[in-house]
Amino acid sequence: GEDVEQSLFLSVREGDSSVINCTYTDSSSTYLYWYKQEPGAGLQLLTYIFSNMDMKQDQRLTVLLNKKDKHLSLRIADTQTGDSAIYFCAESSHSGSARQLTFGSGTQLTVLP
Amino acid sequence: GAVVSQHPSWVICKSGTSVKIECRSLDFQATTMFWYRQFPKQSLMLMATSNEGSKATYEQGVEKDKFLINHASLTLSTLTVTSAHPEDSSFYICSARASGYEQYFGPGTRLTVT
């Protein structure tokens, strides 16, 4: 089945850039997503990218997709303490009539003052 | 827009009892709803997918008689954990999808079985 992998932890200093990496195995993925989860809360969609795109930028967030290597990254510019959370990448696969998401293990981002 | 709510947000129940969790799409009609389970410091695992008016499709390893899912309307799906045991303690998250690709997630329900 599909597999999505992420490193578990990342620490950065406030004001620096954060780069969270993700690899996936499903070559038929059409959409790839980044979600943020704060403690005890559900998932907040940050951004997504369609598989025929290489890059997408949305304010402080930049998503890079290397489809050949099946590698996705999320760059957060000027990281703030409020960005501390778990970040999940997910890929969208099709199963029957429903489009399902397969999540990575999540990367715990810690922003140090 | 695209708000999904869950109720309750936190529930404690005794072993052997049943618990119902509601998932509502507040400002859109959800043709498909998904139920996930998340253990501490782990990823979300899809439990089942439900389409309004039809039976849910369960993922491999998920007991459909234990985790009853009902998607009776386009704005409400329920997950009932029957005869709950401590190993069922987890964070349960639902999501809802209209006709597009995006899933909107609820805030989650923390279930503790004592």
Side-chain angles (χ1 to χ4, degrees), chain A residues 31 33 37 42 45 99 103-104, chain B residues 38 43 49 101-103 106-107:
Chain A
Y31 282 94
Y33 304 82
Q37 185 181 34
L45 177 65
R99 187 163 291 271
F103 287 87
Chain B
Q38 185 181 30
S43 188
T49 303
Y101 290 102
E102 189 169 338
Q103 289 184 29

Side-chain angles (χ1 to χ4, degrees), chain A:
Chain A
E2 301 86 1
D3 192 25
V4 180
E5 294 192 357
Q6 302 175 237
S7 53
L8 294 180
F9 303 99
L10 176 66
S11 291
V12 299
R13 293 233 173 254
E14 191 173 14
D16 289 348
S17 292
S18 308
V19 179
I20 304 172
N21 295 300
C22 171
T23 58
Y24 61 97
T25 58
D26 188 357
S27 57
S28 65
S29 297
T30 50
Y31 282 94
L32 296 126
Y33 304 82
W34 283 104
Y35 287 88
K36 177 183 180 182
Q37 185 181 34
E38 298 188 47
L43 271 67
Q44 173 195 354
L45 177 65
L46 291 177
T47 186
Y48 64 92
I49 189 167
F50 192 51
S51 60
N52 67 355
M53 299 168 65
D54 297 325
M55 186 189 86
K56 180 178 179 182
Q57 186 164 1
D58 182 4
Q59 298 182 336
R60 292 191 298 124
L61 305 179
T62 303
V63 179
L64 294 177
L65 174 61
N66 182 327
K67 195 174 180 182
K68 173 175 170 289
D69 294 338
K70 300 189 185 67
H71 181 267
L72 181 74
S73 68
L74 173 69
R75 179 177 179 271
I76 306 173
D78 188 25
T79 313
Q80 303 297 307
T81 54
D83 295 323
S84 292
I86 300 176
Y87 291 80
F88 291 95
C89 73
E91 63 92 17
S92 178
S93 60
H94 195 76
S95 175
S97 61
R99 187 163 291 271
Q100 298 179 342
L101 293 175
T102 300
F103 287 87
S105 56
T107 299
Q108 172 77 59
L109 173 64
T110 302
V111 182
L112 305 171

